[in-house]
Amino acid sequence: MSNLKEGHYLFTSESVGEGHPDKLCDQISDGILDACLSVDKDAHVACETFASQALILVGGELTFKSDDHIDIQEIARNVAKKIGYTNPDYGLDCDSMAVLNMMHEQSADINQGVVGKGLSTFKGQQGAGDQGMMFGFACKETPELMPAPIMYAHSLMRQASELRHSGKIKWFRPDSKSQVTVEYENHKPVRIDTVVISQQHDPDHEYEEIKETVIEQVIKPVLEKTGLLDKDTKYFVNPTGKFCIGGPVGDTGLTGRKIIVDTYGGMGRHGGGAFSGKDPSKVDRSAAYMARYIAKNIVAADLAERCEVQLAYAIGVPFPVSIFVNTFGTGIVPDSKIADAVEKVFDCSPAGIIKTLNLKQPIYSATAAYGHFGRSEFPWEKTNKVKALQSAIK
């Protein structure tokens, strides 16, 4: 541990590659969701995937109005193949693995509240698909208005994947993990203290070759441009000394087990609900996207340096039961005033979120690896409410 100066602290976030067993499951679940939304934009899906050696088990609820057949087995095999699980030695083989389908129809009790057929008080209004609280976070540490440690950790995994898929490093295998520790001074990143990467590899390579390759071709090309590496930065590559056994053989996979990787790397709170495999009527997913959208626009509007937004819901109720804004003392006006502006500018009802962010489209497979936030291709990353927020504050 470094001897830190006063006002300095270390913060660590991890990411995992697309071939990590949990991320394999997330991608299969979201692949099934996208297939359903492609044939019925009003499909209700809550899909969980479990992966173990030579086995993919898919279960959950599925309701859509279409005569089209969703081939879950084909989706699972295609996802595994795209990731690179094409050899049993890697921990899974897309062609020979067993795929079990245990999906069933959504509970009628839940469905009636979601589609507006529940309590007479809320007749005709779309209610939340479940109770719970969701958080969104934004800060000025990176151009994406995301915490630096998680963005750097994701970038390392993208780089490793690119080297593997392009064939530049043929002996990388699909499974991988990264971790980045950033030193902060008064909440601003000043240096990268530690970088950890575990990269699955073919067995006929010596440790020193693996370590040098990872440092020179994965870590440095990504992190040198930050200007935060220095002579004291520590590198730990495959700290156990060997990582040949990976994928679902090395560790079972399960949808929704990487919720901190999916969000802010532990910086900012999490309500506990996973995203992947859930259609946008599930506020676990859609409201978390809305909370990020709100927080990012608040920071982009220069109303705060850092911001966390909480939205909370009751099942079947067509509006949030609470909206909370916390700027950690960085707001230019009191947090309560920003919260009032949020209520004026953003429609946080379940139906309003779906409409605002255009969530009834098959966009979710892309979210299932490398984080759901800090990526400009997603609608919840737009900063198109800046002027409206500034006007509401005035």
Side-chain angles (χ1 to χ4, degrees):
M1 182 68 70
S2 303
N3 293 318
L4 297 176
K5 301 175 185 176
E6 186 175 350
H8 288 234
Y9 62 89
L10 301 178
F11 193 90
T12 302
S13 295
E14 72 159 344
S15 180
V16 296
E18 62 187 14
H20 186 280
D22 294 333
K23 279 288 136 201
L24 164 70
C25 292
D26 286 344
Q27 290 167 88
I28 291 172
S29 292
D30 273 336
I32 292 167
L33 171 61
D34 278 352
C36 293
L37 290 174
S38 295
V39 298
D40 178 9
K41 64 182 179 61
D42 296 315
H44 290 164
V45 183
C47 177
E48 310 282 350
T49 304
F50 169 80
S52 188
Q53 55 180 352
L55 171 66
I56 299 294
L57 172 63
V58 178
E61 299 81 54
L62 169 59
T63 302
F64 63 97
K65 300 170 185 176
S66 174
D67 293 330
D68 291 329
H69 173 64
I70 302 301
D71 192 335
I72 288 176
Q73 182 170 135
E74 182 182 20
I75 293 168
R77 294 192 191 283
N78 287 341
V79 168
K81 183 177 182 179
K82 183 179 180 182
I83 292 170
Y85 279 116
T86 56
N87 186 325
D89 290 341
Y90 298 167
L92 191 71
D93 174 40
C94 61
D95 293 324
S96 63
M97 67 187 191
V99 181
L100 301 183
N101 177 10
M102 301 297 289
M103 297 292 290
H104 59 89
E105 202 167 342
Q106 184 183 48
S107 160
D109 292 350
I110 294 174
N111 183 263
Q112 71 175 11
V114 173
V115 301
K117 295 179 180 178
L119 296 177
S120 58
T121 311
F122 308 128
K123 279 276 195 261
Q125 302 179 72
Q126 178 176 343
D130 203 351
Q131 69 176 43
M133 62 283 186
M134 298 80 210
F135 290 91
F137 184 83
C139 61
K140 291 191 174 181
E141 294 178 20
T142 65
E144 301 86 359
L145 302 185
M146 284 285 288
I150 187 65
M151 292 305 291
Y152 299 159
H154 286 325
S155 296
L156 292 171
M157 292 291 88
R158 285 185 176 276
Q159 175 74 358
S161 176
E162 168 60 27
L163 291 170
R164 178 171 62 87
H165 281 297
S166 68
K168 292 179 181 177
I169 302 180
K170 299 182 184 298
W171 45 271
F172 275 9
R173 291 181 173 182
D175 203 351
S176 55
K177 300 177 75 171
S178 66
Q179 187 170 282
V180 178
T181 300
V182 173
E183 182 176 338
Y184 285 78
E185 180 181 9
N186 297 322
H187 306 302
K188 297 187 183 300
V190 294
R191 60 181 294 272
I192 294 174
D193 184 81
T194 307
V195 183
V196 182
I197 289 190
S198 295
Q199 175 62 55
Q200 189 188 14
H201 58 87
D202 288 350
D204 52 347
H205 293 269
E206 296 297 326
Y207 177 76
E208 288 305 319
E209 177 193 5
I210 297 167
K211 181 178 179 180
E212 181 182 1
T213 299
V214 169
I215 291 174
E216 297 300 325
Q217 297 193 50
V218 179
I219 297 175
K220 288 186 176 180
V222 170
L223 297 183
E224 280 185 339
K225 65 186 71 172
T226 68
L228 298 178
L229 295 178
D230 62 26
K231 62 181 177 60
D232 296 320
T233 300
K234 299 178 284 293
Y235 303 103
F236 295 101
V237 177
N238 288 10
T240 66
K242 186 179 181 181
F243 185 15
C244 297
I245 301 171
V249 167
D251 190 9
T252 57
L254 190 65
T255 297
R257 203 156 53 180
K258 285 291 177 282
I259 58 175
I260 301 304
V261 171
D262 286 342
T263 52
Y264 309 101
M267 192 176 291
R269 285 170 283 195
H270 197 296
F275 300 158
S276 289
K278 295 177 181 176
D279 74 83
S281 72
K282 315 295 191 297
V283 286
D284 275 347
R285 182 170 215 158
S286 57
Y289 292 167
M290 190 63 164
R292 162 64 178 172
Y293 180 53
I294 295 169
K296 187 175 183 180
N297 275 272
I298 289 170
V299 173
D302 293 321
L303 300 178
E305 291 284 319
R306 302 166 70 220
C307 182
E308 183 177 74
V309 173
Q310 185 201 57
L311 303 175
Y313 295 85
I315 189 168
V317 177
F319 49 81
V321 298
S322 69
I323 299 175
F324 174 71
V325 174
N326 183 3
T327 64
F328 308 96
T330 69
I332 65 169
V333 296
D335 290 350
S336 58
K337 190 169 183 180
I338 298 177
D340 289 341
V342 166
E343 291 200 54
K344 294 175 184 176
V345 172
F346 298 92
D347 183 353
C348 293
S349 67
I353 292 172
I354 290 170
K355 181 179 179 180
T356 299
L357 300 179
N358 193 20
L359 296 181
K360 290 186 177 183
Q361 52 178 326
I363 59 173
Y364 298 103
S365 292
T367 69
Y370 312 116
H372 294 242
F373 305 124
R375 299 168 59 183
S376 60
E377 66 264 38
F378 300 135
W380 48 88
E381 291 297 316
K382 293 179 181 178
T383 52
N384 55 354
K385 296 294 186 181
V386 165
K387 291 184 179 179
L389 277 169
Q390 290 169 337
S391 296
I393 289 293
K394 289 177 183 178

